């Protein structure tokens, strides 16, 4: 009880002496960004972001289908970084898991009958380790100042992050520029944060943060869709929880499995690895690739 009282006193003192942030200043804009992404300016703070929603298919000249529900967890920390010319910044170090559910239920799908191709397939949960974006600093390598891509709307700060993705597909061949095969998706994030809570340099954890996450992407590999036309649309909403105990029970139960237990905490702060993609994850689980279709008839 004494420790808890001391912590509360410390947080109260911190809030009382917090400095207001000016989003037009690169250094302050980075602090605001770090609070939104990381949940706190405190070094070593672990943040839990959860989300849930639906996944739809879109095929030309067909009605869109609600294929799955999803629920996910990202666990992260954001070590502070210092650069002599770029200033003081941070990097998000995280890993995340997302489960595919039977629509309208909390039933985790292990196998699934794909109505788009008639195949029974094994469902592979998303389990990306790590998810480590590039560092964020007040200034770029060529000296350009960091700009906060958001605005104050009433008592909220609304921030959007648009991430169009187009990269070499590790499941593709050596001639992706010539005949196609690159991975393509776009991820659209919108964050909503109370401005009084956000726009100061207090290290107290954010409490009022919510987000929407939408993703438009090619078929996920385990669906076995090949080059059939169409794509997936993920439509979700998310929020920050204050501790692992507040993570949805379906995720806590899933992460009791030895294979996925590491997703209850972030990678170490000095993790140098680049981010894992959906395709990297599939290749990791199925390194041998497809079975041969048969002998070449020519």
């Amino acid at each position: 009880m004494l420790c808890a009282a001391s912590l509360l006193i410390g947080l109260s003192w911190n809030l009382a002496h917090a400095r207001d942030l000016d989003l037009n200043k690169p250094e302050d804009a980075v602090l605001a960004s770090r609070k939104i992404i990381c949940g706190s300016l405190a070094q070593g703070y672990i943040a839990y972001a959860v989300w849930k929603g639906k996944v739809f298919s879109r095929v030309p000249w067909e009605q869109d289908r609600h294929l799955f529900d999803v629920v996910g967890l990202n666990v992260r920390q954001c070590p502070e970084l210092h650069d002599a010319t770029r200033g003081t910044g941070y990097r998000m170090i995280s890993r995340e898991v997302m489960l595919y559910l039977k629509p309208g239920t909390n039933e985790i799908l292990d196998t699934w009958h794909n109505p788009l191709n008639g195949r029974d397939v094994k469902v592979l949960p998303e389990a990306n380790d790590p998810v480590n974006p590039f560092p964020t600093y007040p200034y770029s390598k060529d000296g350009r100042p960091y700009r906060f891509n958001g605005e104050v709307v009433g008592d909220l700060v609304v921030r959007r992050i648009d991430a169009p993705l187009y990269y070499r597909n590790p499941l593709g061949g050596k001639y992706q520029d010539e005949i196609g095969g690159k991975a393509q998706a776009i991820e659209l994030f919108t964050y909503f944060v109370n401005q009084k809570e956000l726009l100061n340099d207090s290290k107290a954890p954010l409490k009022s943060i919510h987000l929407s996450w939408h993703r438009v992407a090619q078929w996920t590999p385990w669906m076995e869709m090949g080059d059939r036309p169409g794509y997936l649309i993920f439509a979700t909403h998310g929020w920050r929880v204050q501790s692992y105990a507040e993570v949805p029970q379906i995720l806590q139960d899933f992460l009791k499995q030895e294979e996925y237990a590491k997703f209850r905490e972030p990678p170490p702060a000095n993790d140098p690895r680049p981010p894992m993609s959906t395709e990297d994850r599939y290749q990791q689980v199925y390194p041998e690739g497809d079975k041969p279709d048969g002998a070449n008839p020519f």
Side-chain angles (χ1 to χ4, degrees):
M1 291 179 63
L2 287 174
C3 291
S6 298
L7 178 60
L8 288 172
I9 291 171
L11 290 177
S12 299
W13 187 92
N14 191 287
L15 286 168
H17 292 77
R19 175 181 63 83
D20 290 342
L21 300 181
D22 181 351
L23 294 177
N24 293 313
K25 295 181 178 179
E27 293 80 4
D28 283 2
V30 167
L31 290 177
S33 173
R34 183 178 173 189
K35 288 182 74 170
I36 289 175
I37 297 299
C38 313
S40 171
L41 297 178
Q43 191 81 328
Y45 178 79
I46 295 177
Y48 303 90
V50 297
W51 66 92
K52 63 180 181 179
K54 299 179 179 181
V55 183
F56 299 88
S57 65
R58 171 157 290 182
V59 176
W61 307 111
E62 288 187 13
Q63 176 67 46
D64 296 346
R65 302 183 193 225
H66 175 195
L67 299 181
F68 318 105
D69 289 347
V70 290
V71 60
L73 167 70
N74 178 288
V75 56
R76 66 190 70 174
Q77 61 175 314
C78 294
E80 193 169 271
L81 303 175
H82 302 278
D83 185 273
T85 57
R86 302 181 67 183
T88 298
Y90 71 94
R91 187 185 189 194
M92 185 180 92
I93 302 294
S94 75
R95 49 172 65 107
E96 65 187 20
V97 63
M98 185 173 70
L99 309 180
Y100 292 91
L101 312 176
K102 183 178 179 180
T105 75
N106 269 344
E107 178 186 339
I108 300 172
L109 291 170
D110 182 56
T111 59
W112 178 64
H113 178 75
N114 185 342
L116 301 169
N117 61 16
R119 295 184 181 180
D120 293 319
V121 297
K122 180 173 177 58
V123 178
L124 184 66
E126 302 295 335
N128 296 329
D129 176 28
V131 181
N132 295 345
F134 292 113
T136 299
Y137 288 100
Y139 298 92
S140 66
K141 290 181 179 179
D142 59 2
R144 286 180 291 109
Y146 177 81
R147 297 191 182 280
F148 185 86
N149 53 335
E151 60 182 322
V152 177
V153 181
D155 61 352
L156 294 176
V157 174
V158 180
R159 184 193 188 196
R160 248 190 45 215
I161 299 177
D162 303 332
L165 306 173
Y166 187 64
Y167 54 91
R168 192 165 191 82
N169 191 332
L171 302 178
K174 296 187 293 184
Y175 301 97
Q176 295 180 29
D177 288 334
E178 292 84 356
I179 65 170
K182 287 191 174 181
Q184 184 175 24
I186 187 167
E187 303 205 11
L188 307 169
F189 300 84
T190 307
Y191 296 87
F192 305 87
V193 194
N194 179 277
Q195 67 152 313
K196 290 182 179 179
E197 195 177 355
L198 176 67
L199 297 183
N200 59 71
D201 65 354
S202 166
K203 294 185 178 180
L206 285 180
K207 296 184 182 298
S208 60
I209 179 167
H210 301 275
L211 67 93
S212 71
W213 171 64
H214 292 76
R215 172 180 167 91
V216 179
Q218 295 160 324
W219 308 117
T220 193
W222 54 261
M223 293 175 66
E224 298 184 5
M225 289 291 286
D227 59 358
R228 289 173 173 81
Y231 50 90
L232 295 175
I233 301 171
F234 294 72
T236 78
H237 67 279
W239 63 99
R240 189 74 46 77
V241 298
Q242 299 301 312
S243 69
Y244 185 77
E246 297 178 41
V247 170
Q249 193 61 48
I250 186 174
L251 286 163
Q252 290 193 46
D253 291 343
F254 182 82
L255 297 181
K256 291 176 183 177
Q257 300 177 67
E258 183 177 356
E259 178 182 359
Y260 296 102
K262 65 181 179 180
F263 289 88
R264 293 180 293 199
E265 58 185 33
N270 61 351
D271 186 0
R273 296 174 296 164
M276 171 181 280
S277 68
T278 295
E279 295 81 16
D280 291 325
R281 156 78 169 153
Y282 191 84
Q283 187 178 55
Q284 184 183 73
V285 176
Y286 299 107
E288 299 302 319
D290 297 330
K291 295 179 180 178
D293 291 329
N296 189 330
F298 299 103

